Amino acid sequence: MASLCASRATIFKPKKLLTISPTPLCLRSTIFFYNSESLNNHDRIPKGNSPKPQEKLEDLICRMMSTRAWTTRLQNSIRNIVPTFDHELVYNVLHSAKNSEHALQFFRWVERSGLFRHDRETHFKIIQILGRAEKLNHARCILLDMPNKGVDWDEDLWVLMIDSYGKAGIVQESVKLFQKMEELGVERTVKSYNALFNVITRRGRYMMAKRYFNKMVNQGIEPTGHTYNLLIWGFFLSSKVDTAIRFFEDMKSKGIMPDVVTYNTMINGYNRVKKIEEAEKYFVEMKARNIEPNVISYTTLIKGYSAVERIDDALRLFEEMKSFGIKPNAITYSTLLPGLCDAQKMSEAGTILKEMEEKYIAPKDNSIFIRLISGQCEAGDLDAAADVLKTMIRLSVPTEAGHYGVLIENFCKAGIYDRAVKFLDKLIEKEIVLRPQSRSSMEPNAYNLIIDYLCNNGQTGKAETLFRQLMKTGVQDPIAFNNLVCGHSREGVPDSAFELLKIMGRRKVLSDGIAHKSLVESYLKKGEPADAKAALDNMLEHGHDPDSLLYRSVMESLMGDGRVQTASRVMKIMLEKGVKEHMDLISTILEALLMRGHVEEALGRIELLLHNSLSPDLDGLLSVLCEKGKTAAALKLLDFILERNCNIDFSSYDKVLDSLVAAGKTLNAYSILCKMMENGGVKDHKSCEELIKSLNDEGNTKQADILRRMILGEETTLDRKKGKKKTPIAT
């Protein structure tokens, strides 16, 4: 077992496989021993094939805890591979644990199992871990329980807890802990007071800070320069400038000379209240006292100049710091660049960006890049804007959809579409739009411009790929949707366009009438009238009224495809929408319905026409039906005409009667003739005589006799009838 402990620090040659404990196979842990002394010329490992270093025991334990549930089996597995839980191992496991929960479980387990007795260092480590994870109740309980385990408190442990509560924003608990130190007899030095000041001043409790400062002084605890720095900054945060100045002077009066941190605090404080002249005075005073300004000093004053739009002074100070050998850092550049963009000094901004690239310094705030790109575009230098993106890539700064969006938008506006498309290709290929860490998204102005261009230039598929990525981020732009529908329709891919319209319907995105019309026309061009009808219905469902020509185009296409009833339904919709055109096509549809035996449907359409004050060519319909031998349809149509008192020529009556008689339908002819005579008589008695003869021949003598007497009774009236019978059209 001693050699097992030694294996944690030394790498040996693989000599044998040792299985420790008869645990199940899945839980067995094997350890390879390496003994360099037993290597001979025959079993030496060839150069380049040396064994990998053995995994440290603490790393193995942490990996086991991260991949398996915390159960008794896992605990036994850890026991089996650890001969002795010493201080170094326990501390390293706590330090290397993947998360605070694993660390806390391990801390409690080794203690409760009697494997290890925690000391001050392991307590400090677990409290530190739990404090960072904001598991403050656990940390507090562990701290307060330390004396019960025979471990003494010290001030650093309490300072750690005070700071943890402060970072979590629970100021009152920090104060309670500070007060409890006195109750429990834990010595409080300036270190504890500084921790308290740091917490309460950052939360605006400046009055409390003053009270505790006075209490500290009364207890004979001397404040340090760090104490004053904390308080001065806290007073500035609360906009208590006079109090901050008073403490600064009090500091000097007590013989505590302000250092560079103190002056930086004063400069930054005056920056916050926009008193840059006062900040300059302290900067000058600092140099007069032979305190060399550091990079923070210069960066802070540069920030102040930029905030009050004195960008020339900021540039002067920037050059001064470099002349004194003080190297600007990432924060310095990040502070200066926004001010240059705001002042529209894009040439200087470009120079500084190149300097950052040469030194491989990336700014702390990546949002500056989108300001640089926008600024260069506004200045009209699109090449410089594109170079910003290249700089980001060279500095390993993640590019975002917003950066590409600004470039694409401005290149489109400049008419340089080929470069805009190249940027788009990279955006789509790398799926930058879908990156969850992105903070800047592509604006509608950008993607609508490029989508419109692509849809009008035969690249709607690429435009849809972009938009579908945007849709995954929640974008539902109606302009982009409608452009895509129009683009697919123009390119002869109406199915894709229709699918997009369906998506719009499901997501309740407003569609455009032009998009629907283009889809219908696209189906018509492809010779798919049924789909065109479906697209027309979809157009109507979305509240868009097709124009007269679109109705005609759909009806003609349906008729050409032999879909008479579907064309009839389109005609019905058109009439219900108040469109009163294309009577020639309407007559064709009615004729086709009647010829195919859809008489009731045809009569319904005629009824609708009459209701809309439209007069279909009934004479023509009757004539065609008679010529084609469709006597049943002609009979129903004439019966409808008589019931509605419609206006037709007497010749049409005669044609129907002749057709019925010729077809041997004498009783039907007799019924029609009776109705004709009731509505004003007949003109040609010759057909009546023929009908009477046919009735007698067929044995219908009663009907023949009635018809003869009706003719004799109406003869004088019929002689006075001339031309057409005039009766109003029923409405």
Side-chain angles (χ1 to χ4, degrees):
M1 298 305 285
S3 63
L4 179 61
C5 296
S7 68
R8 292 174 51 201
T10 309
I11 299 176
F12 298 95
K13 173 185 177 293
K15 183 176 181 181
K16 63 179 179 178
L17 181 65
L18 176 63
T19 303
I20 305 176
S21 112
T23 53
L25 182 61
C26 62
L27 299 176
R28 291 179 184 175
S29 301
T30 57
I31 300 177
F32 291 93
F33 290 85
Y34 296 88
N35 188 346
S36 59
E37 295 179 356
S38 64
L39 289 173
N40 53 42
N41 294 330
H42 298 286
D43 58 7
R44 288 189 181 277
I45 300 172
K47 185 177 181 181
N49 294 319
S50 58
K52 294 182 180 179
Q54 185 185 357
E55 185 178 21
K56 292 182 180 179
L57 192 55
E58 55 265 26
D59 293 336
L60 175 60
I61 294 172
C62 290
R63 181 163 56 82
M64 292 170 67
M65 291 193 298
S66 65
T67 56
R68 294 168 57 182
W70 185 257
T71 62
T72 304
R73 282 190 173 187
L74 175 59
Q75 295 167 12
N76 290 334
S77 297
I78 296 174
R79 285 174 186 262
N80 291 335
I81 63 172
V82 180
T84 303
F85 288 87
D86 56 19
H87 175 274
E88 181 184 0
L89 175 65
V90 172
Y91 186 91
N92 288 340
V93 170
L94 294 175
H95 179 75
S96 303
K98 299 296 183 182
N99 57 54
S100 59
E101 188 64 29
H102 296 160
L104 181 60
Q105 288 170 340
F106 182 80
F107 179 87
R108 287 175 171 169
W109 172 65
V110 294
E111 183 178 50
R112 292 171 181 173
S113 301
L115 300 173
F116 179 76
R117 183 176 180 181
H118 290 296
D119 53 16
R120 186 263 180 198
E121 285 74 21
T122 55
H123 276 93
F124 186 92
K125 189 64 183 177
I126 192 64
I127 291 172
Q128 184 184 57
I129 292 170
L130 294 173
R132 290 173 179 170
E134 296 191 2
K135 294 183 177 180
L136 301 174
N137 286 336
H138 289 298
R140 184 189 184 111
C141 290
I142 290 172
L143 175 66
L144 296 177
D145 194 44
M146 285 176 63
N148 298 330
K149 304 174 186 177
V151 182
D152 294 332
W153 287 314
D154 62 33
E155 186 181 19
D156 288 340
L157 290 163
W158 290 84
V159 167
L160 181 60
M161 279 302 305
I162 290 169
D163 185 60
S164 296
Y165 272 111
K167 289 178 178 177
I170 312 174
V171 179
Q172 63 274 19
E173 291 300 323
S174 294
V175 176
K176 287 179 182 178
L177 282 172
F178 181 79
Q179 294 170 343
K180 201 169 188 65
M181 290 176 69
E182 186 176 18
E183 296 174 12
L184 298 175
V186 180
E187 182 183 5
R188 296 186 304 194
T189 67
V190 69
K191 185 187 297 185
S192 304
Y193 276 98
N194 286 345
L196 180 66
F197 293 147
N198 187 43
V199 171
I200 61 180
T201 55
R202 290 180 182 275
R203 293 290 172 174
R205 310 290 179 85
Y206 66 93
M207 290 299 296
M208 182 186 290
K210 289 169 67 176
R211 288 197 301 271
Y212 275 104
F213 178 80
N214 293 332
K215 183 177 181 179
M216 180 183 71
V217 174
N218 292 334
Q219 289 177 346
I221 300 174
E222 291 294 330
T224 63
H226 183 53
T227 307
Y228 279 104
N229 292 339
L230 289 171
L231 290 168
I232 290 170
W233 178 237
F235 294 137
F236 273 118
L237 287 176
S238 300
S239 299
K240 299 299 176 182
V241 180
D242 293 338
T243 307
I245 296 172
R246 189 165 65 251
F247 268 75
F248 179 75
E249 296 299 330
D250 182 60
M251 175 184 185
K252 292 191 289 186
S253 67
K254 290 186 177 181
I256 302 174
M257 298 307 297
D259 57 10
V260 67
V261 177
T262 310
Y263 279 105
N264 289 345
T265 303
M266 294 297 293
I267 293 168
N268 199 15
Y270 277 111
N271 283 349
R272 285 182 60 85
V273 294
K274 299 293 191 296
K275 292 185 177 181
I276 190 63
E277 292 79 9
E278 295 296 325
E280 287 178 312
K281 289 179 183 178
Y282 282 97
F283 187 75
V284 172
E285 180 182 321
M286 175 172 57
K287 291 195 287 186
R289 288 177 173 268
N290 293 324
I291 299 174
E292 293 186 3
N294 57 18
V295 66
I296 298 174
S297 310
Y298 279 100
T299 300
T300 304
L301 194 54
I302 287 171
K303 181 180 179 181
Y305 282 134
S306 300
V308 296
E309 299 180 357
R310 290 173 55 180
I311 196 63
D312 290 331
D313 289 325
L315 279 171
R316 174 186 54 77
L317 202 63
F318 179 74
E319 296 300 328
E320 178 185 308
M321 71 180 291
K322 291 194 293 183
S323 67
F324 288 152
I326 300 173
K327 296 180 179 180
N329 58 21
I331 299 175
T332 310
Y333 289 113
S334 300
T335 301
L336 182 58
L337 283 172
L340 292 171
C341 293
D342 292 338
Q344 298 181 350
K345 291 182 175 291
M346 300 314 301
S347 176
E348 291 83 350
T351 302
I352 290 177
L353 187 64
K354 288 180 181 178
E355 184 178 317
M356 293 173 64
E357 183 181 342
E358 292 170 358
K359 296 179 179 180
Y360 201 75
I361 298 176
K364 294 296 183 181
D365 184 7
N366 292 340
S367 65
I368 183 58
F369 287 107
I370 200 159
R371 297 183 67 179
L372 285 166
I373 293 171
S374 300
Q376 296 289 10
C377 289
E378 290 172 5
D381 194 345
L382 298 181
D383 290 333
D387 288 340
V388 174
L389 196 66
K390 294 177 182 177
T391 299
M392 292 180 66
I393 296 170
R394 293 191 185 107
L395 293 176
S396 302
V397 176
T399 54
E400 299 178 2
H403 303 128
Y404 283 92
V406 174
L407 289 169
I408 289 170
E409 178 184 357
N410 284 278
F411 274 104
C412 285
K413 288 180 178 178
I416 312 174
Y417 290 104
D418 55 339
R419 294 193 65 182
V421 171
K422 288 181 180 178
F423 284 120
L424 178 65
D425 290 338
K426 293 180 182 177
L427 186 71
I428 293 173
E429 178 188 353
K430 298 179 180 179
E431 295 187 340
I432 295 173
V433 171
L434 302 177
R435 290 178 180 173
Q437 67 271 22
S438 294
R439 292 184 295 175
S440 62
S441 57
M442 198 172 184
E443 296 296 325
N445 289 342
Y447 61 72
N448 278 329
L449 278 173
I450 192 65
I451 287 175
D452 181 67
Y453 169 77
L454 293 172
C455 291
N456 284 295
N457 289 272
Q459 300 183 65
T460 307
K462 182 181 291 186
E464 184 177 351
T465 302
L466 167 65
F467 192 65
R468 285 193 177 271
Q469 290 184 1
L470 291 168
M471 285 168 62
K472 292 179 181 179
T473 66
V475 173
Q476 297 187 147
D477 192 287
I479 297 175
F481 265 119
N482 288 298
N483 280 334
L484 289 169
V485 172
C486 292
H488 280 308
S489 299
R490 278 192 295 267
E491 293 173 22
V493 193
D495 289 339
S496 297
F498 208 172
E499 178 62 29
L500 287 170
L501 280 175
K502 291 176 182 177
I503 293 173
M504 293 173 72
R506 290 195 297 268
R507 300 190 177 190
K508 298 181 180 180
V509 179
L510 293 177
S511 58
D512 187 86
I514 297 174
H516 285 279
K517 181 180 179 181
S518 65
L519 175 60
V520 175
E521 292 174 343
S522 181
Y523 275 124
L524 292 174
K525 288 178 181 178
K526 286 192 71 176
E528 298 176 359
D531 291 327
K533 165 62 168 56
L536 186 74
D537 290 339
N538 185 263
M539 181 177 185
L540 291 164
E541 288 172 7
H542 283 80
H544 302 291
D545 291 331
D547 57 38
S548 174
L549 292 176
L550 190 62
Y551 278 119
R552 183 180 183 94
S553 298
V554 174
M555 289 189 292
E556 286 179 339
S557 180
L558 290 168
M559 290 295 292
D561 199 43
R563 301 175 182 270
V564 177
Q565 286 185 287
T566 308
S568 169
R569 288 193 287 272
V570 175
M571 180 186 77
K572 179 176 179 290
I573 295 169
M574 180 184 74
L575 293 172
E576 289 173 345
K577 291 292 182 180
V579 179
K580 300 181 180 181
E581 301 175 26
H582 316 304
M583 289 303 297
D584 57 331
L585 183 57
I586 289 173
S587 296
T588 303
I589 294 172
L590 291 174
E591 179 184 325
L593 286 172
L594 292 167
M595 292 295 294
R596 293 192 177 199
H598 306 301
V599 180
E600 296 301 327
E601 184 176 345
L603 296 179
R605 302 295 181 258
I606 294 172
E607 182 75 44
L608 183 59
L609 286 165
L610 296 174
H611 183 74
N612 284 276
S613 302
L614 295 173
S615 301
D617 184 10
L618 299 175
D619 294 300
L621 291 173
L622 288 170
S623 177
V624 171
L625 291 173
C626 292
E627 290 174 3
K628 300 293 184 180
K630 301 293 184 180
T631 54
L635 177 62
K636 290 183 179 180
L637 178 57
L638 185 58
D639 195 33
F640 174 85
I641 291 170
L642 291 171
E643 288 178 1
R644 301 299 190 280
N645 280 331
C646 295
N647 186 23
I648 61 172
D649 283 332
F650 279 107
S651 60
S652 298
Y653 289 108
D654 294 337
K655 289 179 182 179
V656 176
L657 288 173
D658 292 342
S659 297
L660 290 171
V661 172
K665 298 180 179 180
T666 53
L667 289 177
N668 289 334
Y670 163 77
S671 175
I672 289 295
L673 191 57
C674 290
K675 291 181 181 180
M676 289 169 56
M677 295 181 71
E678 289 174 1
N679 286 278
V682 296
K683 180 179 179 182
D684 187 3
H685 287 177
K686 181 180 179 181
S687 59
C688 296
E689 294 295 338
E690 292 175 356
L691 179 58
I692 291 171
K693 182 178 182 303
S694 297
L695 288 170
N696 285 321
D697 292 342
E698 294 176 4
N700 297 315
T701 56
K702 182 179 179 180
Q703 286 82 358
D705 185 55
I706 292 171
L707 183 58
R708 184 178 296 281
R709 280 186 278 131
M710 288 177 67
I711 294 171
L712 292 174
E714 294 290 333
E715 188 172 8
T716 56
T717 303
L718 291 173
D719 288 340
R720 291 196 297 268
K721 296 287 184 179
K722 293 182 180 180
K724 296 176 82 174
K725 170 172 71 73
K726 302 294 182 181
T727 57
I729 295 175
T731 59

